[in-house]
Amino acid sequence: METPGITKDRLKASMRFCIMVALLSKGSSGLVCFTTVESLDLGCLLRWDCPHASPNTTYTVQTKTQGDPWQDVAWCVWVSSRSCDISHAFSNFELYNMIRLGVHRDPSSTVWIEPRKFDYSDFKYSPPSVTVSLREEQLLVKVQFPCAANRRCSVERCCPITQLIDPWTTVTVYNNLNRSQFQSRTVWTQEIVSYVEFSGLAPGQNYCAVANFSFPTFSIAASPKSAPQCVVTVSKSGERKTFNF
């Protein structure tokens, strides 16, 4: 008669064996693919590498937006390339977006690699640009945003990312001769460009403005700062100059 301790040890070993079998079964196809996503200004480029696939293997890419079924990316069906630009496949970045790669082993067999998400954690942005001007006692900063790669935009014209998302835009104005003197404002941008006004500037000083923006509610997906644009406030002589850096 077996002792309780031995019975428990055998039960644990049996469970470990079952888990190993399950893991081996999951990978029994022998197919391994590595996928990466590159994103700039809301674009999306999927790259993949399937080291053990035949050189003649073809692939299909599908996307899925929250609430919708999987759909083929029309220009990446049965392709032999190792990348697919799917920037035009997504339009709503507030919902969950998914991507998956299908590997065609033969005309009747497709192996789907585990899907991966596409969201704010993948986003990278180009910096915005700023223009500064003086209006009496106020400094007006105009922020322009980079063009987006998306199906809502034609390739012939610039479609600012603010047509696709409403970012938080932070503008900082500082005294170029005394960096400890600065003002910073963050606004929620819902227009193609953003205008931010600053007051309380001293006369005859060189003030510079920089700006950056981030995906709504997720500061982790933030752009680099713009190049500074500077202007000298009106001095006693009434002169002023604008500097571009």
Side-chain angles (χ1 to χ4, degrees), residues 15-145:
M15 290 176 66
R16 284 197 295 269
F17 175 76
C18 291
I19 292 172
M20 288 177 63
V21 170
L23 292 174
L24 290 172
S25 297
K26 184 177 181 180
S28 61
S29 66
L31 182 64
V32 177
C33 291
F34 303 96
T35 60
T36 58
V37 165
E38 299 173 11
S39 177
L40 179 65
D41 300 331
L42 302 180
C44 182
L45 177 66
L46 177 70
R47 296 186 185 274
W48 60 88
D49 179 28
C50 304
H52 305 299
S54 164
N56 298 324
T57 300
T58 55
Y59 307 88
T60 289
V61 177
Q62 291 188 336
T63 60
K64 174 182 173 65
T65 296
Q66 181 180 350
D68 295 331
W70 286 102
Q71 296 181 347
D72 288 343
V73 178
W75 51 95
C76 293
V77 175
W78 291 85
V79 296
S80 57
S81 62
R82 299 295 188 273
S83 65
C84 176
D85 186 345
I86 52 179
S87 303
H88 292 187
F90 300 113
S91 60
N92 192 333
F93 300 98
E94 300 292 341
L95 300 178
Y96 292 110
N97 292 301
M98 304 292 291
I99 309 166
R100 70 177 179 179
L101 175 69
V103 184
H104 302 294
R105 292 193 148 184
D106 57 61
S108 61
S109 175
T110 302
V111 176
W112 293 102
I113 305 303
E114 183 176 356
R116 61 151 298 154
K117 63 180 177 57
F118 175 59
D119 64 15
Y120 67 91
S121 62
D122 297 299
F123 296 164
K124 291 181 174 59
Y125 299 109
S126 302
S129 61
V130 299
T131 304
V132 296
S133 59
L134 285 172
R135 291 185 178 179
E136 298 179 351
E137 301 297 324
Q138 293 186 324
L139 177 65
L140 179 65
V141 182
K142 177 183 177 181
V143 183
Q144 294 179 293
F145 299 88

Side-chain angles (χ1 to χ4, degrees), residues 130-201:
V130 299
T131 304
V132 296
S133 59
L134 285 172
R135 291 185 178 179
E136 298 179 351
E137 301 297 324
Q138 293 186 324
L139 177 65
L140 179 65
V141 182
K142 177 183 177 181
V143 183
Q144 294 179 293
F145 299 88
C147 304
N150 191 271
R151 68 184 182 190
R152 295 186 192 175
C153 312
S154 66
V155 295
E156 293 82 12
R157 67 182 183 88
C158 174
C159 174
I161 65 158
T162 44
Q163 288 189 329
L164 304 174
I165 62 172
D166 297 329
W168 288 103
T169 305
T170 299
V171 180
T172 300
V173 170
Y174 58 89
N175 188 330
N176 203 30
L177 301 178
N178 185 353
R179 296 295 183 93
S180 64
Q181 296 179 3
F182 68 91
Q183 301 180 46
S184 186
R185 291 186 58 192
T186 298
V187 297
W188 187 33
T189 301
Q190 295 179 283
E191 305 295 335
I192 293 178
V193 298
S194 185
Y195 293 93
V196 183
E197 291 186 347
F198 293 86
S199 58
L201 307 178

